DNA sequence: GGTGTTGATGTGAGCGCTAACAATGTGGGC
DNA sequence: GCCCACATTGTTAGCGCTCACATCAACACC
C-alpha cells in the first residue's frame, strides 16, 4: 500500500540506503556510475522521498508558513502567489493560515498551527498594529519575516515603500497644477494607510500646499463611494488621491453621479494597479507595488535565517512606481 | 534546542508516552484524573505534538494540497481562502502549489510536490481540458477532488453550475424584453466558459431567440474592452452577457467611449459578483457563485475519501444566484 | 474461588529518513 | 612494498510518534 522506501531503492540498485540518501541530497562523494544506478532504480520504482521522515530527523520541514488575512484582496493574493512561486523555485512548499481578524489571538493561533507542522520559517503579512504585538511572544528560534508590518519593531521586515509611492502620487497631482490634493485613506490601524498618509502629507508640505483632513475609508469600493459622495459636493476639491484602486472606483462612481467629470473637473490617483484599473472610466492613474520583488526579498531574508540558523534584523523596502493614465489633468481655472 | 517531546510530558505526568498519545488523540479509555495530569504537564512544558512524526508513522499528514492556477483572480482566490478556512476548522492545513500554466506537465509536477509531502488529499482547481488529462495518470490511492473540472471525467467533482447561472443571466435579459443576447465568452479551453456558453444558448433556444456567435475573450478587462469596441459599433446589439465581471468592465468602458449608454442603450450582465461590481458605472447585474459552498462540498468529498480510504465518484453542483443591479433595462424601441 | 470481562495503562517495534562514524578500496610518494 | 590520504560506501543509532499487543487491576458471575 505504501509506496517504495529508500531501502527498496537501495536493494534494487545494490547499494545501501545511505548511498541513496546521498544521491538524493546531491552529496558530492558518490561515484558517477553508482549515482546513475540509483537514479535508474528510483525511476523504475517510482520512488518519492518521504518528506515527513526527513522533517522528523532534521527537525525542520521544507515548508514555509504564511500567515495572512483576507487573501481575497488583490494585494495579499498577489503577494501570496508570488511567494508561492518563489518558494517553489527554492524547493519549498507554502502553507497558508489565513486569519479572519488580525488580532493578537488569531495571529498567535495561526502561528501555532504552523509551528506544529515544524515549518522551516514563517512569513507574516501583518499590516496592522495588533499583529506586531502577537509576534513579540513568539519562540525566538523560528525564522520569521514580516511583510508590510510595523517599521518600528525589531523584526526582519519587507515593505512596499508606501511613503514614497504616496509622495509620488501626490506630487504627480500637484505637478499637474492642482492647488492641493485630498486623500481617501485606508483603515486607521493599517501601516499601509499610515505610510500613504505620511507620503501624501510630505508631498503637500514640500509644495507648501494646504493639508486637508484625510477622509477615512476601509479599502472597499463601497466606502470609496461614500467618501466620494462627500467630496463630490465640495467645489474646492479638484484632486483626490485614494489609498487603493477600489476606493478610487467607488469615488469615481460617486463623482459620476454628481456630474463631476474625471479628469476634467477632478483628477484622481489610486494605489495598487489592479489589472482592471486600466479599464476604469477613465483609465486610472495609480501606483504599482512590485509584489514579485517583495516576495523575492521576503524569501531571501527568510532563507538567510534558515540557513545560517540566526535570526537577522534586516529590512528591505521596495519602491513602487507611478503608472500614469488618463484620470489626471490640469485643473480648469 | 528542540522542543519537548511526548516522553518529556510523560515523565512529568508520571505516565507512559502512550498515555500521553491517548490523551492527545481523545482516546476514550483514559481516567479523568490522568487526563488532567497529562494536560497540566503539556501546558507546563509548552509541548506541541510533532506532526511530522505522526505523519511518518501514519503515512499521512493532516495537510491538504491544493493545485491552482492564477490565484490572483477573484474566483480562485476566493475559493482558496474558503478552502483554507474550512480545512482549518477540520484540523487540516492547506498547502498551495500554484502553476503558471494548466498543461499536463505543470499539473503533474504540482501534484508530485504534494505527494512528496504525503498530503492527505488533493484538491485540483482545474478548469481546463489538459488538466483533466494530467489527472488520469495519478496514483489511485490518494484522495482527490477536482473543482470546476471536466464534467465528463470519472473523478469526484464539485462545480459551480455554470449552465444554470448563464441561463438565468440570459433569461433575465430576455425577460426585460430584449430580442436576443450577445455573449462575450471566456477562453475556449475552460470548462467554465463552455458551461456559460451552453447556458446562454439554452436560454436563447428556449425563448426561440436568434443565437449570435459568441465573442471570445480571456477573462480580462483588456479583452472585454476589445470585444466591447466591436459590439459598440453594432446597432442591433441591445443586450450583452459577459462570462465574468472583469470582461463586463472592459465592455462597459468601450460602450462608454462609443457613447452607448448602459442600461439605456445596452443592457449588460456579468458573472462572479466581484466585490466592486456594485460600484461599476452603472452597478453591474451579475451572477454570484457561492465559493463557501463549493469549498465546503469539496472538503466534504475529500474527507469522506480520506476517512473511508475509498475513492468515491461523487459529484456536487452548486447553483449560483442572480444579483440584479442597474445595468439591465428594457430595450428602447 | 476460579474464570471471564472490561477498563486503564505500559511495552516494544518500527514508520523512512539523516548524521555520525566505521570500514572499505585506490592511488601516490618514498 | 609500505603507509597515508582520500574518495566511496556501509553500519548504526536515533528523530517522535502510533499501532498492536501485553499487563494488571477490579469486578461480576456461576
Amino acid at each position: 500500500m505504501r509506496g517504495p522506501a529508500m531501502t527498496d531503492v537501495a536493494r534494487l540498485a545494490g547499494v545501501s540506503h545511505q548511498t541513496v540518501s546521498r544521491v538524493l541530497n546531491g552529496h558530492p562523494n558518490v561515484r558517477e556510475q553508482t549515482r546513475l544506478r540509483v537514479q535508474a532504480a528510483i525511476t523504475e520504482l517510482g520512488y518519492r522521498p518521504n518528506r515527513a521522515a526527513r522533517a522528523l530527523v532534521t527537525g525542520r520541514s521544507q515548508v514555509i508558513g504564511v500567515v495572512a488575512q483576507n487573501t481575497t484582496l488583490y494585494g495579499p493574493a498577489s503577494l501570496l502567489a508570488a511567494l508561492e512561486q518563489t518558494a517553489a523555485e527554492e524547493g519549498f512548499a507554502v502553507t497558508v493560515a489565513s486569519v479572519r481578524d488580525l488580532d493578537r489571538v488569531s495571529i498567535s493561533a495561526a502561528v501555532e498551527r504552523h509551528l506544529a507542522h515544524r515549518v522551516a520559517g514563517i512569513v507574516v503579512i501583518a499590516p496592522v498594529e495588533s499583529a506586531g504585538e502577537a509576534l513579540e511572544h513568539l519562540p525566538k528560534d523560528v525564522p520569521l519575516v514580516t511583510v508590510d508590518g510595523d517599521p518600528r519593531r525589531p523584526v526582519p521586515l519587507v515593505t512596499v515603500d508606501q511613503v514614497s509611492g504616496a509622495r509620488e502620487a501626490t506630487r504627480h497631482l500637484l505637478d499637474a497644477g492642482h492647488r492641493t490634493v485630498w486623500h481617501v485613506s485606508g483603515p486607521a490601524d493599517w501601516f499601509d494607510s499610515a505610510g500613504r498618509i505620511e507620503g501624501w502629507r510630505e508631498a503637500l508640505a514640500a509644495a507648501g500646499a494646504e493639508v486637508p483632513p484625510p477622509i477615512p475609508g476601509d479599502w472597499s469600493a463601497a466606502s470609496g463611494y461614500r467618501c466620494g459622495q462627500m467630496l463630490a459636493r465640495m467645489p474646492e476639491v479638484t484632486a483626490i488621491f485614494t489609498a487603493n484602486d477600489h476606493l478610487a472606483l467607488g469615488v469615481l462612481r460617486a463623482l459620476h453621479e454628481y456630474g463631476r467629470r474625471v479628469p476634467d473637473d477632478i483628477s484622481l490617483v489610486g494605489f495598487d494597479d489592479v489589472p482592471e484599473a486600466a479599464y476604469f472610466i477613465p483609465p486610472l492613474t495609480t501606483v504599482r507595488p512590485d509584489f514579485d520583488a517583495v516576495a523575492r526579498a521576503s524569501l531571501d531574508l527568510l532563507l538567510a535565517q534558515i540557513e545560517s540558523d540566526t535570526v537577522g534584523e534586516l529590512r528591505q523596502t521596495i519602491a513602487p512606481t507611478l503608472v500614469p493614465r488618463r484620470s489626471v489633468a490640469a485643473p480648469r481655472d
Side-chain angles (χ1 to χ4, degrees), chain A residues 2 6 17-18 21 25 47 50 57:
Chain A
R2 285 186 179 216
M6 205 174 252
H17 64 146
Q18 178 60 1
S21 169
N25 295 304
Y47 167 76
N50 184 329
V57 57

PDB file of all heavy atoms in Angstrom, chain A residues 2 6 17-18 21 25 47 50 57, chain C residues 15-22 26:
ATOM      1  N   ARG A   2       1.751   1.319   0.983  1.00  0.00           N
ATOM      2  CA  ARG A   2       2.682   2.445   0.991  1.00  0.00           C
ATOM      3  C   ARG A   2       3.642   2.331  -0.181  1.00  0.00           C
ATOM      4  O   ARG A   2       3.982   1.220  -0.581  1.00  0.00           O
ATOM      5  CB  ARG A   2       3.487   2.438   2.282  1.00  0.00           C
ATOM      6  CG  ARG A   2       2.680   2.907   3.469  1.00  0.00           C
ATOM      7  CD  ARG A   2       3.566   3.021   4.672  1.00  0.00           C
ATOM      8  NE  ARG A   2       2.797   3.508   5.813  1.00  0.00           N
ATOM      9  CZ  ARG A   2       3.299   4.323   6.721  1.00  0.00           C
ATOM     10  NH1 ARG A   2       4.528   4.743   6.637  1.00  0.00           N
ATOM     11  NH2 ARG A   2       2.572   4.710   7.729  1.00  0.00           N
ATOM     12  N   MET A   6      13.261   4.119   0.814  1.00  0.00           N
ATOM     13  CA  MET A   6      14.647   4.241   0.406  1.00  0.00           C
ATOM     14  C   MET A   6      15.347   2.883   0.343  1.00  0.00           C
ATOM     15  O   MET A   6      16.168   2.633  -0.547  1.00  0.00           O
ATOM     16  CB  MET A   6      15.366   5.146   1.396  1.00  0.00           C
ATOM     17  CG  MET A   6      16.565   5.830   0.821  1.00  0.00           C
ATOM     18  SD  MET A   6      17.229   6.984   2.005  1.00  0.00           S
ATOM     19  CE  MET A   6      16.762   8.524   1.268  1.00  0.00           C
ATOM     20  N   HIS A  17      21.064   2.083   1.770  1.00  0.00           N
ATOM     21  CA  HIS A  17      20.093   3.186   1.751  1.00  0.00           C
ATOM     22  C   HIS A  17      20.775   4.529   1.904  1.00  0.00           C
ATOM     23  O   HIS A  17      20.325   5.531   1.399  1.00  0.00           O
ATOM     24  CB  HIS A  17      19.055   2.983   2.859  1.00  0.00           C
ATOM     25  CG  HIS A  17      19.626   3.041   4.235  1.00  0.00           C
ATOM     26  ND1 HIS A  17      18.964   3.546   5.308  1.00  0.00           N
ATOM     27  CD2 HIS A  17      20.830   2.666   4.682  1.00  0.00           C
ATOM     28  CE1 HIS A  17      19.728   3.458   6.379  1.00  0.00           C
ATOM     29  NE2 HIS A  17      20.864   2.922   6.016  1.00  0.00           N
ATOM     30  N   GLN A  18      21.886   4.527   2.603  1.00  0.00           N
ATOM     31  CA  GLN A  18      22.602   5.770   2.828  1.00  0.00           C
ATOM     32  C   GLN A  18      23.120   6.346   1.517  1.00  0.00           C
ATOM     33  O   GLN A  18      23.121   7.557   1.308  1.00  0.00           O
ATOM     34  CB  GLN A  18      23.755   5.520   3.798  1.00  0.00           C
ATOM     35  CG  GLN A  18      24.603   6.738   4.074  1.00  0.00           C
ATOM     36  CD  GLN A  18      23.799   7.858   4.688  1.00  0.00           C
ATOM     37  OE1 GLN A  18      22.602   7.741   4.930  1.00  0.00           O
ATOM     38  NE2 GLN A  18      24.445   8.977   4.913  1.00  0.00           N
ATOM     39  N   SER A  21      20.366   8.041  -0.118  1.00  0.00           N
ATOM     40  CA  SER A  21      20.186   9.334   0.526  1.00  0.00           C
ATOM     41  C   SER A  21      21.192  10.343  -0.023  1.00  0.00           C
ATOM     42  O   SER A  21      20.854  11.488  -0.316  1.00  0.00           O
ATOM     43  CB  SER A  21      20.360   9.181   2.037  1.00  0.00           C
ATOM     44  OG  SER A  21      20.438  10.435   2.662  1.00  0.00           O
ATOM     45  N   ASN A  25      20.396  13.856  -2.012  1.00  0.00           N
ATOM     46  CA  ASN A  25      20.731  15.163  -1.468  1.00  0.00           C
ATOM     47  C   ASN A  25      21.919  15.805  -2.179  1.00  0.00           C
ATOM     48  O   ASN A  25      22.489  16.772  -1.698  1.00  0.00           O
ATOM     49  CB  ASN A  25      21.006  15.052   0.023  1.00  0.00           C
ATOM     50  CG  ASN A  25      19.755  14.631   0.769  1.00  0.00           C
ATOM     51  OD1 ASN A  25      18.717  15.274   0.677  1.00  0.00           O
ATOM     52  ND2 ASN A  25      19.839  13.521   1.479  1.00  0.00           N
ATOM     53  N   TYR A  47       9.978   5.892  -7.046  1.00  0.00           N
ATOM     54  CA  TYR A  47      10.210   6.273  -5.652  1.00  0.00           C
ATOM     55  C   TYR A  47      10.097   7.780  -5.462  1.00  0.00           C
ATOM     56  O   TYR A  47      10.501   8.568  -6.298  1.00  0.00           O
ATOM     57  CB  TYR A  47      11.599   5.809  -5.225  1.00  0.00           C
ATOM     58  CG  TYR A  47      12.068   6.417  -3.932  1.00  0.00           C
ATOM     59  CD1 TYR A  47      11.567   5.972  -2.716  1.00  0.00           C
ATOM     60  CD2 TYR A  47      13.012   7.444  -3.927  1.00  0.00           C
ATOM     61  CE1 TYR A  47      11.993   6.537  -1.528  1.00  0.00           C
ATOM     62  CE2 TYR A  47      13.445   8.008  -2.743  1.00  0.00           C
ATOM     63  CZ  TYR A  47      12.927   7.552  -1.548  1.00  0.00           C
ATOM     64  OH  TYR A  47      13.351   8.116  -0.382  1.00  0.00           O
ATOM     65  N   ASN A  50      10.146  10.537   1.267  1.00  0.00           N
ATOM     66  CA  ASN A  50       9.139  10.893   2.250  1.00  0.00           C
ATOM     67  C   ASN A  50       9.630  12.077   3.078  1.00  0.00           C
ATOM     68  O   ASN A  50      10.514  11.951   3.918  1.00  0.00           O
ATOM     69  CB  ASN A  50       8.876   9.691   3.158  1.00  0.00           C
ATOM     70  CG  ASN A  50       7.769   9.973   4.134  1.00  0.00           C
ATOM     71  OD1 ASN A  50       7.570  11.100   4.545  1.00  0.00           O
ATOM     72  ND2 ASN A  50       7.044   8.944   4.490  1.00  0.00           N
ATOM     73  N   VAL A  57      13.677  13.757  11.248  1.00  0.00           N
ATOM     74  CA  VAL A  57      15.060  13.619  11.686  1.00  0.00           C
ATOM     75  C   VAL A  57      15.811  14.953  11.674  1.00  0.00           C
ATOM     76  O   VAL A  57      16.632  15.202  12.549  1.00  0.00           O
ATOM     77  CB  VAL A  57      15.785  12.532  10.863  1.00  0.00           C
ATOM     78  CG1 VAL A  57      15.726  12.850   9.401  1.00  0.00           C
ATOM     79  CG2 VAL A  57      17.206  12.364  11.307  1.00  0.00           C
TER      80      VAL A  57
ATOM     81  P    DC C  15       9.196  -0.492   9.328  1.00  0.00           P
ATOM     82  OP1  DC C  15       8.660  -1.693   8.674  1.00  0.00           O
ATOM     83  OP2  DC C  15      10.651  -0.227   9.348  1.00  0.00           O
ATOM     84  O5'  DC C  15       8.511   0.790   8.688  1.00  0.00           O
ATOM     85  C5'  DC C  15       7.103   0.986   8.759  1.00  0.00           C
ATOM     86  C4'  DC C  15       6.835   2.473   8.835  1.00  0.00           C
ATOM     87  O4'  DC C  15       7.064   2.912  10.180  1.00  0.00           O
ATOM     88  C3'  DC C  15       7.789   3.295   7.976  1.00  0.00           C
ATOM     89  O3'  DC C  15       7.155   3.545   6.722  1.00  0.00           O
ATOM     90  C2'  DC C  15       7.976   4.590   8.765  1.00  0.00           C
ATOM     91  C1'  DC C  15       7.498   4.251  10.186  1.00  0.00           C
ATOM     92  N1   DC C  15       8.513   4.342  11.263  1.00  0.00           N
ATOM     93  C2   DC C  15       8.327   5.218  12.333  1.00  0.00           C
ATOM     94  O2   DC C  15       7.317   5.929  12.350  1.00  0.00           O
ATOM     95  N3   DC C  15       9.261   5.276  13.324  1.00  0.00           N
ATOM     96  C4   DC C  15      10.325   4.499  13.268  1.00  0.00           C
ATOM     97  N4   DC C  15      11.207   4.583  14.265  1.00  0.00           N
ATOM     98  C5   DC C  15      10.550   3.599  12.191  1.00  0.00           C
ATOM     99  C6   DC C  15       9.627   3.558  11.208  1.00  0.00           C
ATOM    100  P    DG C  16       7.867   3.064   5.372  1.00  0.00           P
ATOM    101  OP1  DG C  16       6.882   3.175   4.300  1.00  0.00           O
ATOM    102  OP2  DG C  16       8.593   1.801   5.601  1.00  0.00           O
ATOM    103  O5'  DG C  16       8.966   4.193   5.168  1.00  0.00           O
ATOM    104  C5'  DG C  16       8.541   5.522   5.001  1.00  0.00           C
ATOM    105  C4'  DG C  16       9.732   6.427   5.153  1.00  0.00           C
ATOM    106  O4'  DG C  16      10.232   6.326   6.496  1.00  0.00           O
ATOM    107  C3'  DG C  16      10.909   6.082   4.242  1.00  0.00           C
ATOM    108  O3'  DG C  16      11.274   7.268   3.567  1.00  0.00           O
ATOM    109  C2'  DG C  16      11.990   5.605   5.200  1.00  0.00           C
ATOM    110  C1'  DG C  16      11.630   6.355   6.468  1.00  0.00           C
ATOM    111  N9   DG C  16      12.100   5.733   7.696  1.00  0.00           N
ATOM    112  C8   DG C  16      12.198   4.393   7.960  1.00  0.00           C
ATOM    113  N7   DG C  16      12.640   4.139   9.174  1.00  0.00           N
ATOM    114  C5   DG C  16      12.833   5.382   9.736  1.00  0.00           C
ATOM    115  C6   DG C  16      13.302   5.750  11.024  1.00  0.00           C
ATOM    116  O6   DG C  16      13.638   5.016  11.951  1.00  0.00           O
ATOM    117  N1   DG C  16      13.354   7.127  11.199  1.00  0.00           N
ATOM    118  C2   DG C  16      12.997   8.033  10.226  1.00  0.00           C
ATOM    119  N2   DG C  16      13.100   9.317  10.557  1.00  0.00           N
ATOM    120  N3   DG C  16      12.559   7.718   9.016  1.00  0.00           N
ATOM    121  C4   DG C  16      12.504   6.376   8.846  1.00  0.00           C
ATOM    122  P    DC C  17      12.468   7.330   2.565  1.00  0.00           P
ATOM    123  OP1  DC C  17      12.060   8.187   1.455  1.00  0.00           O
ATOM    124  OP2  DC C  17      13.012   5.989   2.313  1.00  0.00           O
ATOM    125  O5'  DC C  17      13.533   8.139   3.430  1.00  0.00           O
ATOM    126  C5'  DC C  17      13.332   9.514   3.643  1.00  0.00           C
ATOM    127  C4'  DC C  17      14.033   9.946   4.900  1.00  0.00           C
ATOM    128  O4'  DC C  17      13.925   8.907   5.879  1.00  0.00           O
ATOM    129  C3'  DC C  17      15.533  10.139   4.765  1.00  0.00           C
ATOM    130  O3'  DC C  17      15.758  11.482   4.325  1.00  0.00           O
ATOM    131  C2'  DC C  17      16.024   9.938   6.183  1.00  0.00           C
ATOM    132  C1'  DC C  17      14.920   9.129   6.853  1.00  0.00           C
ATOM    133  N1   DC C  17      15.349   7.806   7.386  1.00  0.00           N
ATOM    134  C2   DC C  17      15.891   7.740   8.671  1.00  0.00           C
ATOM    135  O2   DC C  17      16.039   8.786   9.321  1.00  0.00           O
ATOM    136  N3   DC C  17      16.253   6.532   9.181  1.00  0.00           N
ATOM    137  C4   DC C  17      16.067   5.429   8.447  1.00  0.00           C
ATOM    138  N4   DC C  17      16.417   4.256   8.992  1.00  0.00           N
ATOM    139  C5   DC C  17      15.527   5.472   7.131  1.00  0.00           C
ATOM    140  C6   DC C  17      15.184   6.673   6.639  1.00  0.00           C
ATOM    141  P    DT C  18      17.224  11.864   3.786  1.00  0.00           P
ATOM    142  OP1  DT C  18      17.080  13.124   3.052  1.00  0.00           O
ATOM    143  OP2  DT C  18      17.852  10.691   3.170  1.00  0.00           O
ATOM    144  O5'  DT C  18      17.975  12.158   5.162  1.00  0.00           O
ATOM    145  C5'  DT C  18      17.569  13.267   5.946  1.00  0.00           C
ATOM    146  C4'  DT C  18      18.421  13.351   7.185  1.00  0.00           C
ATOM    147  O4'  DT C  18      18.400  12.087   7.891  1.00  0.00           O
ATOM    148  C3'  DT C  18      19.905  13.659   6.934  1.00  0.00           C
ATOM    149  O3'  DT C  18      20.301  14.575   7.943  1.00  0.00           O
ATOM    150  C2'  DT C  18      20.585  12.312   7.097  1.00  0.00           C
ATOM    151  C1'  DT C  18      19.719  11.648   8.158  1.00  0.00           C
ATOM    152  N1   DT C  18      19.672  10.161   8.127  1.00  0.00           N
ATOM    153  C2   DT C  18      19.935   9.467   9.286  1.00  0.00           C
ATOM    154  O2   DT C  18      20.230  10.001  10.335  1.00  0.00           O
ATOM    155  N3   DT C  18      19.836   8.096   9.168  1.00  0.00           N
ATOM    156  C4   DT C  18      19.502   7.378   8.041  1.00  0.00           C
ATOM    157  O4   DT C  18      19.445   6.150   8.061  1.00  0.00           O
ATOM    158  C5   DT C  18      19.246   8.175   6.861  1.00  0.00           C
ATOM    159  C7   DT C  18      18.879   7.493   5.585  1.00  0.00           C
ATOM    160  C6   DT C  18      19.341   9.505   6.957  1.00  0.00           C
ATOM    161  P    DA C  19      21.640  15.396   7.835  1.00  0.00           P
ATOM    162  OP1  DA C  19      21.312  16.800   8.110  1.00  0.00           O
ATOM    163  OP2  DA C  19      22.352  15.024   6.603  1.00  0.00           O
ATOM    164  O5'  DA C  19      22.459  14.818   9.067  1.00  0.00           O
ATOM    165  C5'  DA C  19      21.865  14.816  10.343  1.00  0.00           C
ATOM    166  C4'  DA C  19      22.824  14.178  11.326  1.00  0.00           C
ATOM    167  O4'  DA C  19      22.734  12.736  11.208  1.00  0.00           O
ATOM    168  C3'  DA C  19      24.295  14.535  11.088  1.00  0.00           C
ATOM    169  O3'  DA C  19      24.914  14.675  12.355  1.00  0.00           O
ATOM    170  C2'  DA C  19      24.826  13.346  10.307  1.00  0.00           C
ATOM    171  C1'  DA C  19      24.007  12.201  10.895  1.00  0.00           C
ATOM    172  N9   DA C  19      23.758  11.103   9.965  1.00  0.00           N
ATOM    173  C8   DA C  19      23.548  11.189   8.612  1.00  0.00           C
ATOM    174  N7   DA C  19      23.322  10.030   8.035  1.00  0.00           N
ATOM    175  C5   DA C  19      23.379   9.123   9.084  1.00  0.00           C
ATOM    176  C6   DA C  19      23.223   7.723   9.126  1.00  0.00           C
ATOM    177  N6   DA C  19      22.960   6.980   8.055  1.00  0.00           N
ATOM    178  N1   DA C  19      23.343   7.125  10.323  1.00  0.00           N
ATOM    179  C2   DA C  19      23.599   7.886  11.410  1.00  0.00           C
ATOM    180  N3   DA C  19      23.769   9.209  11.486  1.00  0.00           N
ATOM    181  C4   DA C  19      23.642   9.777  10.273  1.00  0.00           C
ATOM    182  P    DA C  20      26.383  15.256  12.476  1.00  0.00           P
ATOM    183  OP1  DA C  20      26.337  16.264  13.544  1.00  0.00           O
ATOM    184  OP2  DA C  20      26.917  15.587  11.140  1.00  0.00           O
ATOM    185  O5'  DA C  20      27.177  13.982  13.018  1.00  0.00           O
ATOM    186  C5'  DA C  20      26.722  13.320  14.181  1.00  0.00           C
ATOM    187  C4'  DA C  20      27.435  11.990  14.278  1.00  0.00           C
ATOM    188  O4'  DA C  20      26.912  11.107  13.252  1.00  0.00           O
ATOM    189  C3'  DA C  20      28.956  12.099  14.038  1.00  0.00           C
ATOM    190  O3'  DA C  20      29.632  11.536  15.146  1.00  0.00           O
ATOM    191  C2'  DA C  20      29.182  11.339  12.741  1.00  0.00           C
ATOM    192  C1'  DA C  20      27.991  10.389  12.692  1.00  0.00           C
ATOM    193  N9   DA C  20      27.592   9.989  11.350  1.00  0.00           N
ATOM    194  C8   DA C  20      27.466  10.787  10.239  1.00  0.00           C
ATOM    195  N7   DA C  20      27.089  10.139   9.161  1.00  0.00           N
ATOM    196  C5   DA C  20      26.947   8.823   9.590  1.00  0.00           C
ATOM    197  C6   DA C  20      26.561   7.656   8.923  1.00  0.00           C
ATOM    198  N6   DA C  20      26.238   7.617   7.634  1.00  0.00           N
ATOM    199  N1   DA C  20      26.518   6.513   9.648  1.00  0.00           N
ATOM    200  C2   DA C  20      26.845   6.561  10.950  1.00  0.00           C
ATOM    201  N3   DA C  20      27.212   7.609  11.677  1.00  0.00           N
ATOM    202  C4   DA C  20      27.246   8.724  10.937  1.00  0.00           C
ATOM    203  P    DC C  21      31.230  11.638  15.258  1.00  0.00           P
ATOM    204  OP1  DC C  21      31.565  11.872  16.666  1.00  0.00           O
ATOM    205  OP2  DC C  21      31.751  12.539  14.193  1.00  0.00           O
ATOM    206  O5'  DC C  21      31.655  10.157  14.882  1.00  0.00           O
ATOM    207  C5'  DC C  21      30.926   9.079  15.453  1.00  0.00           C
ATOM    208  C4'  DC C  21      31.090   7.855  14.573  1.00  0.00           C
ATOM    209  O4'  DC C  21      30.445   8.062  13.297  1.00  0.00           O
ATOM    210  C3'  DC C  21      32.552   7.516  14.258  1.00  0.00           C
ATOM    211  O3'  DC C  21      32.848   6.268  14.846  1.00  0.00           O
ATOM    212  C2'  DC C  21      32.604   7.481  12.735  1.00  0.00           C
ATOM    213  C1'  DC C  21      31.141   7.271  12.365  1.00  0.00           C
ATOM    214  N1   DC C  21      30.782   7.701  10.992  1.00  0.00           N
ATOM    215  C2   DC C  21      30.227   6.770  10.117  1.00  0.00           C
ATOM    216  O2   DC C  21      30.041   5.610  10.513  1.00  0.00           O
ATOM    217  N3   DC C  21      29.909   7.152   8.848  1.00  0.00           N
ATOM    218  C4   DC C  21      30.134   8.408   8.464  1.00  0.00           C
ATOM    219  N4   DC C  21      29.792   8.730   7.219  1.00  0.00           N
ATOM    220  C5   DC C  21      30.700   9.381   9.337  1.00  0.00           C
ATOM    221  C6   DC C  21      31.017   8.995  10.579  1.00  0.00           C
ATOM    222  P    DA C  22      34.313   5.686  14.717  1.00  0.00           P
ATOM    223  OP1  DA C  22      34.688   5.181  16.044  1.00  0.00           O
ATOM    224  OP2  DA C  22      35.192   6.631  13.978  1.00  0.00           O
ATOM    225  O5'  DA C  22      34.020   4.441  13.770  1.00  0.00           O
ATOM    226  C5'  DA C  22      32.846   3.654  13.987  1.00  0.00           C
ATOM    227  C4'  DA C  22      32.797   2.570  12.925  1.00  0.00           C
ATOM    228  O4'  DA C  22      32.329   3.149  11.675  1.00  0.00           O
ATOM    229  C3'  DA C  22      34.157   1.945  12.634  1.00  0.00           C
ATOM    230  O3'  DA C  22      33.974   0.547  12.440  1.00  0.00           O
ATOM    231  C2'  DA C  22      34.609   2.660  11.366  1.00  0.00           C
ATOM    232  C1'  DA C  22      33.293   2.944  10.651  1.00  0.00           C
ATOM    233  N9   DA C  22      33.285   4.146   9.818  1.00  0.00           N
ATOM    234  C8   DA C  22      33.686   5.407  10.154  1.00  0.00           C
ATOM    235  N7   DA C  22      33.547   6.290   9.194  1.00  0.00           N
ATOM    236  C5   DA C  22      33.014   5.551   8.148  1.00  0.00           C
ATOM    237  C6   DA C  22      32.629   5.902   6.838  1.00  0.00           C
ATOM    238  N6   DA C  22      32.728   7.145   6.349  1.00  0.00           N
ATOM    239  N1   DA C  22      32.134   4.936   6.058  1.00  0.00           N
ATOM    240  C2   DA C  22      32.033   3.691   6.548  1.00  0.00           C
ATOM    241  N3   DA C  22      32.358   3.241   7.761  1.00  0.00           N
ATOM    242  C4   DA C  22      32.840   4.239   8.514  1.00  0.00           C
ATOM    243  P    DT C  26      39.496  -0.962  -5.730  1.00  0.00           P
ATOM    244  OP1  DT C  26      38.726  -1.756  -6.705  1.00  0.00           O
ATOM    245  OP2  DT C  26      40.826  -1.421  -5.287  1.00  0.00           O
ATOM    246  O5'  DT C  26      39.644   0.522  -6.287  1.00  0.00           O
ATOM    247  C5'  DT C  26      39.618   1.602  -5.349  1.00  0.00           C
ATOM    248  C4'  DT C  26      40.615   2.676  -5.745  1.00  0.00           C
ATOM    249  O4'  DT C  26      41.169   3.245  -4.521  1.00  0.00           O
ATOM    250  C3'  DT C  26      41.825   2.221  -6.573  1.00  0.00           C
ATOM    251  O3'  DT C  26      42.158   3.233  -7.493  1.00  0.00           O
ATOM    252  C2'  DT C  26      42.903   2.031  -5.516  1.00  0.00           C
ATOM    253  C1'  DT C  26      42.570   3.136  -4.524  1.00  0.00           C
ATOM    254  N1   DT C  26      42.969   2.903  -3.107  1.00  0.00           N
ATOM    255  C2   DT C  26      43.343   3.984  -2.335  1.00  0.00           C
ATOM    256  O2   DT C  26      43.350   5.118  -2.732  1.00  0.00           O
ATOM    257  N3   DT C  26      43.697   3.662  -1.046  1.00  0.00           N
ATOM    258  C4   DT C  26      43.730   2.402  -0.477  1.00  0.00           C
ATOM    259  O4   DT C  26      44.069   2.244   0.695  1.00  0.00           O
ATOM    260  C5   DT C  26      43.335   1.325  -1.338  1.00  0.00           C
ATOM    261  C7   DT C  26      43.331  -0.080  -0.826  1.00  0.00           C
ATOM    262  C6   DT C  26      42.987   1.616  -2.608  1.00  0.00           C
TER     263       DT C  26
END
